[in-house]
Structures are given as C-alpha cells and as structure tokens.
Amino acid sequence: SGWLVDRIGTARLVPFLLLPMAMGFVVIGSTGALAVAALGLSLMAISQGASSTVTNAFWAEFYGTKSLGGIKSLVTAVMVLGSAIGPLISGLLIDVGINFDDQMLGIAAYVGCSAILAGVAVSRARKLLPLAP
C-alpha cells in the first residue's frame, strides 16, 4: 500500500480502502465452509494491512504533521470505543434472533456505505482544505 500511496496518493485510495473488507464480510456471511471463510479473512486482512499506511499518510497529507499526534490519538480512541461496542451489539442482535451470518452481510453493507461516505468526504475535503506542506 505504501507503493500505491506514492504512485496515486491517499485521496484516490481512501474510497477503496474498505472495499476488500466489505467483500470479506460478504464471503464470510455467505458460506459456512471454513476454507472459504479463510478467503474472507484474507480480504479483510488486505484492508487492515493497507489501513495503517494509507490512513497515516492521509492525515499527514490533508492536515499536516503538526497536528498528527492529536488526530491519531482521537482516531485511536474512536477505534477502541468501536471495538468495545461491536461485540455488545452483535450479542444483542443474536439475542433477538439475528444470526451471525446475516450480521456479516449487514456489516458488509455498513462498510460499503462507509467507503462511499469516505469518498464523498475526501472529495469535499480536497476542495475545502489546502493540502499540507
């Protein structure tokens, strides 16, 4: 992903960063086969692995390095909160009768919508923010 950041920039990559993860959730939600689930996890790993490179470069490119520590600490706090809330929501959904496979498909839709919103946000930010030196 570092190579892609250097070649095409973070603004073009961010909208596509979550798509392998969304596809991974679709694969996992659509099959009970362990071997196929490994493919789903591999797709998720692509997004997760690229995330550290692309997002760190994105913050520096759009907001500069002066505020990088504050931005990263806020993003990390939100990520930890999401990690804590996720299992609770999943458990509650199982309690009301929504099985795990259906949850995976719902999460895929959520992640896909997040990718679209990220694309819109980056497009608007490019117009509103001067790129950091």
Side-chain angles (χ1 to χ4, degrees):
S1 60
W3 178 83
L4 283 172
V5 168
D6 291 341
R7 298 291 184 265
I8 65 174
T10 61
R12 289 190 180 128
L13 284 176
V14 166
F16 300 100
L17 185 62
L18 294 174
L19 295 181
M21 183 168 291
M23 290 186 293
F25 278 111
V26 168
V27 168
I28 290 173
S30 300
T31 185
L34 191 57
V36 179
L39 171 65
L41 290 175
S42 297
L43 288 166
M44 290 178 184
I46 291 169
S47 284
Q48 192 60 36
S51 171
S52 61
T53 305
V54 175
T55 56
N56 288 333
F58 172 82
W59 298 127
E61 182 180 331
F62 275 73
Y63 297 102
T65 56
K66 183 178 179 185
S67 302
L68 197 56
I71 291 169
K72 287 181 70 171
S73 66
L74 178 63
V75 169
T76 300
V78 170
M79 185 267 312
V80 169
L81 178 64
S83 296
I85 292 173
L88 173 68
I89 293 172
S90 185
L92 291 173
L93 291 172
I94 289 170
D95 288 346
V96 298
I98 300 172
N99 68 36
F100 193 67
D101 293 340
D102 290 340
Q103 288 184 39
M104 295 297 101
L105 298 175
I107 292 169
Y110 176 83
V111 172
C113 289
S114 297
I116 292 168
L117 290 175
V120 170
V122 168
S123 175
R124 293 186 72 185
R126 287 173 95 177
K127 296 172 188 168
L128 297 174
L129 296 172
L131 293 181

